[in-house]
Amino acid sequence: MSQQPTDEAPDPSAWSADARWALAMADAAVVLLDPEGEPLHENSAARRIARRLAGGSEDPVEAARPSIHPAGEAARQLLALVPDGGWDTACDEGRWRGRVTVGDPEVVLEIKLYCDLGAEPPKRMAVFGDVTAGAKREDALRRAKKKLAGTHEQLLQAEKMASIGQLAAGVAHEINNPIGYVHSNLGTLQEYTSALFGLIDAYAEAMEDEDPVRHRESLAATRQQLDIDFIAGDLPPLLKESREGIERVTRIVRDLKDFSHVERDAPMRPADLQQGLESTLNIVWNDLKYKARIEKHFTPMPLVECHRSEINQVLMNLLINAGQAIDDQGTIVIATGSGDGEAWISITDSGSGMPKEVIERIFDPFYTTKPVGHGTGLGLAICYGIIAKHNGRIEVSSTLGVGSTFRVVLPVTQPRAQAPGEA
Ligand SMILES: Nc1ncnc2c1ncn2[C@@H]1O[C@H](COP(=O)(O)OP(=O)(O)OP(=O)(O)O)[C@@H](O)[C@H]1O
Ligand SMILES: [Mg+2]
């Protein structure tokens, strides 16, 4: 039926037979009201819905002969469901629309109110539709989507942790190395300290003598014997090296923490991708350093709005793949740049390269050419998902026997974050 107010008075007897028939047959419950909001008429659907809400069954007479009735209990019952403010909005703006959930079992009703107080005569109408099935479907869909997002997040996290697991030995080595020399430096420091205290004691003893100057020569001999000049020269670089070692460990631990961070619900934030590259390199360093010379061609790039740890995960997968593609010794060139509202990072290896049939499948989940136990084939599928989520793209070029380039391109600002009116 038409939901627009007509120019006729809301008195069914004055309407055309077609209008009466349409209103009587409508599936939606319709209640017509006077300008003050008093119900005048209700159709059969209104009675049907009201009976159902009250727990009653279908009226067989009503079902057989749908019609329009003077407003009664059904109209009042349905109008009572209109939330506060609904009619105010409808009379201000011409219409109002909302949903209410009522009864047990629950019924979801969509309510549409129409009002035109300026018309001659003024008009008001309320339409109620049972949208329970649709609402349930929407609800199920929302729940399924939420579950899917959760599963996807778990997959991302599992892949990330698996990659870190794969790298654990290397990371442990990277941490062990500085810890090893800091430990040995501490041993040396201990020796130096006892030598220094030895000298201090010798000085203190001399000072207790009435004529300390008398001890000048023996003190000089002690100083030489304790190698104090050597210690004085060796101490500063020893401390500097130890400090750097500790800083390196701190950095690796921080990078690892950064990496395992979950950001699903957090908004994307502007991040320095070059810094991300550096910290990712720190984590994969042990796996690359014996195989590849790393060349960095960084040109300044703006901060990029992203989930930082996810982009690091992409970079890590690409760097690991690049390293794995190199059999013996090779080069990995990492370049960055930006332009036209986009920022990019490319990773080029001088590894095996890929034939066309492989390139076509590399983003498929579980596609791997690596021996069983060496690759899950999820790395690039995960990268693809992450970059797609960031509204970016991954470009691949490869020549068999020469090497491959993976280029990640990201918008500097995410589209939804743009101010209205901005292109
Ligand atoms: N830089 C590269 N050079 C050559 N081949 C590559 C390169 N990167 C990816 N590939 C090919 O793409 C396939 C899929 O890569 P992907 O990272 O998805 O899985 P994987 O590395 O095999 O396993 P995983 O990453 O789960 O350990 C690889 O098995 C390899 O054949
Ligand atoms: Mg991989």
Side-chain angles (χ1 to χ4, degrees):
M1 65 162 279
S2 160
Q3 293 168 341
Q4 292 301 322
T6 68
D7 283 329
E8 286 151 332
D11 172 8
S13 60
W15 301 347
S16 72
D18 285 348
R20 279 204 303 276
W21 180 79
L23 195 57
M25 297 302 289
D27 284 333
V30 181
V31 177
L32 294 167
L33 304 95
D34 73 8
E36 274 69 51
E38 279 303 310
L40 295 173
H41 304 286
E42 62 195 29
N43 68 354
S44 290
R47 293 188 162 190
R48 222 164 34 235
I49 291 181
R51 277 176 80 97
R52 251 190 54 216
L53 291 182
S57 55
E58 183 96 342
D59 178 343
V61 181
E62 195 74 54
R65 275 185 56 87
S67 57
I68 312 166
H69 310 272
E73 194 44 43
R76 262 183 291 280
Q77 195 186 333
L78 291 175
L79 290 172
L81 299 175
V82 176
D84 286 348
W87 280 115
D88 294 341
T89 308
C91 292
D92 282 348
E93 298 172 11
R95 57 183 62 201
W96 175 89
R97 185 178 169 154
R99 275 186 182 189
V100 290
T101 305
V102 282
D104 183 17
E106 280 186 348
V107 174
V108 183
L109 284 186
E110 183 175 55
I111 307 177
K112 295 177 191 166
L113 306 178
Y114 302 89
C115 179
D116 186 355
L117 297 180
E120 194 44 58
K123 298 172 180 64
R124 277 189 197 230
M125 171 171 75
V127 180
F128 301 81
D130 181 350
V131 293
T132 312
K136 272 192 183 148
R137 266 198 306 277
E138 281 168 24
D139 217 39
L141 202 62
R142 233 189 332 270
R143 274 202 305 273
K145 262 171 106 172
K146 199 162 164 212
K147 201 166 156 198
L148 193 64
T151 312
H152 183 241
E153 179 62 25
Q154 273 173 8
L155 179 67
L156 271 188
Q157 193 61 7
E159 196 271 347
K160 191 155 69 180
M161 287 310 169
S163 312
I164 291 182
Q166 218 178 326
L167 293 170
V171 172
H173 181 86
E174 284 298 296
I175 289 179
N176 245 340
N177 215 10
I179 294 276
Y181 65 73
V182 169
H183 185 251
S184 127
N185 287 355
L186 278 175
T188 312
L189 259 176
Q190 199 172 13
E191 285 168 24
Y192 288 178
T193 316
S194 62
L196 287 170
F197 274 119
L199 187 66
I200 291 171
D201 287 347
Y203 272 110
E205 232 169 82
M207 290 305 287
E208 274 168 20
D209 199 299
E210 301 232 312
D211 179 13
V213 181
R214 203 157 58 88
H215 295 272
R216 187 183 286 159
E217 266 175 33
S218 74
L219 281 174
T222 310
R223 190 183 160 103
Q224 198 165 14
Q225 185 205 338
L226 291 174
D227 246 351
I228 299 299
D229 289 338
F230 175 80
I231 292 178
D234 197 36
L235 205 55
L238 192 83
L239 287 173
K240 182 165 177 267
E241 189 190 59
S242 305
R243 176 181 285 269
E244 281 168 1
I246 295 293
E247 279 168 1
R248 175 146 181 76
V249 172
T250 312
R251 223 169 27 241
I252 293 172
V253 171
R254 189 199 56 210
D255 292 343
L256 266 180
K257 238 169 78 186
D258 240 28
F259 214 84
S260 45
H261 184 62
V262 184
E263 292 177 302
R264 178 176 47 148
D265 293 327
M268 293 191 190
R269 286 185 216 287
D272 180 346
L273 293 191
Q274 280 174 9
Q275 197 188 336
L277 257 173
E278 294 287 5
S279 49
T280 308
L281 266 173
N282 256 340
I283 295 175
V284 293
W285 184 234
N286 196 65
D287 279 44
L288 299 182
K289 67 179 172 192
Y290 300 113
K291 275 186 152 181
R293 198 164 48 82
I294 308 278
E295 269 179 40
K296 294 180 199 166
H297 298 292
F298 289 181
T299 55
M301 64 187 341
L303 298 182
V304 173
E305 205 179 342
C306 64
H307 281 151
R308 194 165 44 113
S309 78
E310 290 185 6
I311 300 300
N312 286 354
Q313 186 175 1
V314 170
L315 299 175
M316 181 174 85
N317 278 324
L318 296 181
L319 285 168
I320 293 177
N321 280 350
Q324 287 172 340
I326 295 171
D327 244 352
D328 190 18
Q329 283 287 318
T331 320
I332 297 176
V333 181
I334 307 172
T336 66
S338 63
D340 289 338
E342 293 180 329
W344 55 264
I345 295 175
S346 72
I347 295 173
T348 303
D349 63 69
S350 63
S352 59
M354 294 173 276
K356 196 166 148 280
E357 320 80 81
V358 171
I359 298 180
E360 279 167 4
R361 301 192 54 195
I362 51 175
F363 292 112
D364 293 352
F366 304 111
Y367 176 76
T368 179
T369 57
K370 291 167 191 167
V372 177
H374 284 259
T376 60
L378 274 179
L380 287 177
I382 297 274
C383 293
Y384 187 89
I386 292 175
I387 298 304
K389 181 180 108 175
H390 284 79
N391 299 298
R393 59 187 187 277
I394 304 182
E395 298 163 354
V396 187
S397 60
S398 185
T399 310
L400 201 57
V402 177
S404 314
T405 298
F406 284 78
R407 194 164 178 270
V408 174
V409 187
L410 290 169
V412 172
T413 327
Q414 288 297 314
R416 61 172 171 65
Q418 283 177 344
E422 223 177 305

